[in-house]
């Protein structure tokens, strides 16, 4: 053979056994607890607080700290039906330090307000179990006020006379509002 010969040798290796004492989580977990164990921080930011209807706004939630970072679940935002919310872009940044996983996970949501007025983005609540304190901790992000002005360049949106875009329920990823503005077509 070009690089010489080789031989396969099967060996069984064993390591010393270790005993782990796994304690169950205590009862009384908050409703916002999703299984995170460690020590975490929560931050939120909004890229713009003054927008016009149908303009996109980026809302970012970041969870950072030390613990079981891969078990963090995607946040569920509870916003009025006048706001279209797209699935978040998730950015993960993990490292292992002294046998403990640390890092951050950011969720970047695109929000599109469809009606003018003052829109309140409530504080997001995140709970985790802190093994050092032997108890649950709940974090709250900052709440935001979004000032939405009517876009004067677009005609009022209505479908079938009395049903507005806000009356149509967003039932998943496959249903979108029908564009009812003017479309200019020209012969080729």
């Amino acid at each position: 053979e070009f690089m010489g010969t080789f031989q396969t040798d099967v060996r069984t290796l064993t390591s010393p056994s270790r005993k782990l004492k796994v304690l169950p989580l205590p009862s009384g977990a908050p409703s916002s607890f999703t299984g995170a164990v460690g020590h975490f921080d929560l931050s939120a930011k909004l890229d713009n607080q003054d927008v016009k209807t149908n303009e996109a706004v980026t809302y970012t939630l970041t969870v950072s700290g030390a613990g079981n970072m891969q078990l963090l679940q995607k946040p569920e935002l509870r916003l009025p039906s006048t706001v279209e919310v797209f699935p978040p872009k998730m950015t993960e940044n993990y490292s292992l330090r002294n046998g403990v996983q640390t890092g951050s996970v950011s969720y970047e949501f695109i929000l599109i307000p469809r009606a003018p007025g003052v829109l309140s983005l409530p504080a997001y609540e995140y709970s985790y179990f802190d093994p050092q304190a032997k108890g649950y901790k709940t974090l709250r992000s900052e709440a935001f006020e979004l000032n939405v002005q009517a876009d004067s360049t677009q005609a009022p949106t209505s479908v079938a006379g009395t049903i507005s875009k806000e009356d149509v329920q967003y039932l998943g990823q496959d249903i979108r509002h029908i564009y009812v503005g003017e479309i200019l077509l020209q012969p080729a």
Side-chain angles (χ1 to χ4, degrees):
E1 295 187 21
F2 179 71
M3 298 298 287
T5 61
F6 68 91
Q7 179 180 346
T8 302
D9 190 14
V10 178
R11 297 196 180 222
T12 302
L13 303 174
T14 57
S15 66
S17 64
R18 297 251 173 166
K19 290 188 177 188
L20 295 176
K21 184 176 182 182
V22 179
L23 301 174
L25 291 172
S27 61
S31 61
S32 59
F33 177 69
T34 58
V37 176
H39 181 74
F40 300 99
D41 292 311
L42 176 67
S43 66
K45 71 178 180 181
L46 192 63
D47 70 340
N48 193 359
Q49 289 186 267
D50 295 305
V51 296
K52 294 187 178 189
T53 55
N54 302 315
E55 280 185 355
V57 176
T58 303
Y59 177 63
T60 306
L61 283 170
T62 302
V63 178
S64 59
N68 57 351
M69 301 294 288
Q70 273 96 2
L71 296 180
L72 299 180
Q73 294 183 8
K74 178 185 81 161
E76 295 295 328
L77 299 182
R78 288 169 177 54
L79 298 175
S81 62
T82 59
V83 179
E84 189 169 358
V85 180
F86 291 91
K89 173 186 167 191
M90 188 168 94
T91 306
E92 300 172 305
N93 181 17
Y94 303 128
S95 64
L96 194 60
R97 293 185 190 161
N98 300 328
V100 177
Q101 185 177 33
T102 60
S104 66
V105 180
S106 292
Y107 302 94
E108 189 174 286
F109 292 89
I110 301 296
L111 311 176
I112 301 178
R114 300 293 185 191
V118 175
L119 175 66
S120 294
L121 297 176
Y124 181 74
E125 191 173 278
Y126 180 77
S127 295
Y128 65 94
F129 179 76
D130 188 340
Q132 290 179 336
K134 296 184 178 158
Y136 294 100
K137 292 192 176 181
T138 300
L139 305 172
R140 280 186 176 58
S141 70
E142 181 182 353
F144 295 98
E145 294 267 321
L146 186 61
N147 300 312
V148 182
Q149 302 295 321
D151 186 0
S152 60
T153 61
Q154 292 185 340
T157 56
S158 66
V159 178
T162 61
I163 301 173
S164 69
K165 281 186 180 182
E166 289 76 31
D167 294 332
V168 178
Q169 291 291 327
Y170 181 68
L171 299 175
Q173 306 293 333
D174 58 341
I175 297 176
R176 299 280 183 228
H177 298 292
I178 298 172
Y179 178 72
V180 294
E182 291 184 33
I183 300 174
L184 301 175
L185 300 176
Q186 298 178 0

